Amino acid sequence: FLRSTNSKREVVLVTTSKNLAVQLQSMLADSGIHGCLITEERPNDWLTCHTLTFTGEHASRLANLISPFLQIKRKQEAAISLK
């Protein structure tokens, strides 16, 4: 999700694939967009979640990068508000 509240800009990407999360983090870091990767073990046979969080200027840069590809209007608007 993308959100901007109380002057805090944030982009959060969640996946159950550790490889995908690590690869995304590496590719974005190579582009100067740095985020934090957190792994959360889930109970009751649920899959482990890998969450990439980008804040501040890094969130704005990522929103600018992905905004042309967003198809859902509310997500497009959220990306614009992070720029």
Side-chain angles (χ1 to χ4, degrees):
F1 62 85
L2 303 108
R3 102 175 127 194
S4 178
T5 56
N6 300 329
S7 73
K8 180 179 180 181
R9 297 166 291 179
E10 185 175 40
V11 175
V12 178
L13 306 173
V14 180
T15 180
T16 57
S17 169
K18 183 175 183 174
N19 287 338
L20 177 61
V22 169
Q23 289 174 352
L24 276 171
Q25 185 182 34
S26 295
M27 289 185 332
L28 291 168
D30 287 345
S31 299
I33 301 172
H34 300 280
C36 177
L37 176 59
I38 297 171
T39 299
E40 177 186 353
E41 296 292 330
R42 306 287 302 261
N44 303 329
D45 296 328
W46 288 22
L47 297 173
T48 300
C49 285
H50 306 281
T51 305
L52 271 170
T53 304
F54 303 87
T55 58
E57 183 62 30
H58 299 283
S60 295
R61 292 180 66 200
L62 180 55
N64 189 46
L65 184 68
I66 65 173
S67 63
F69 303 100
L70 298 173
Q71 299 297 312
I72 300 170
K73 185 157 181 72
R74 66 181 166 78
K75 294 187 179 188
Q76 291 171 343
E77 291 167 354
I80 289 170
S81 73
L82 289 178
K83 291 182 182 182

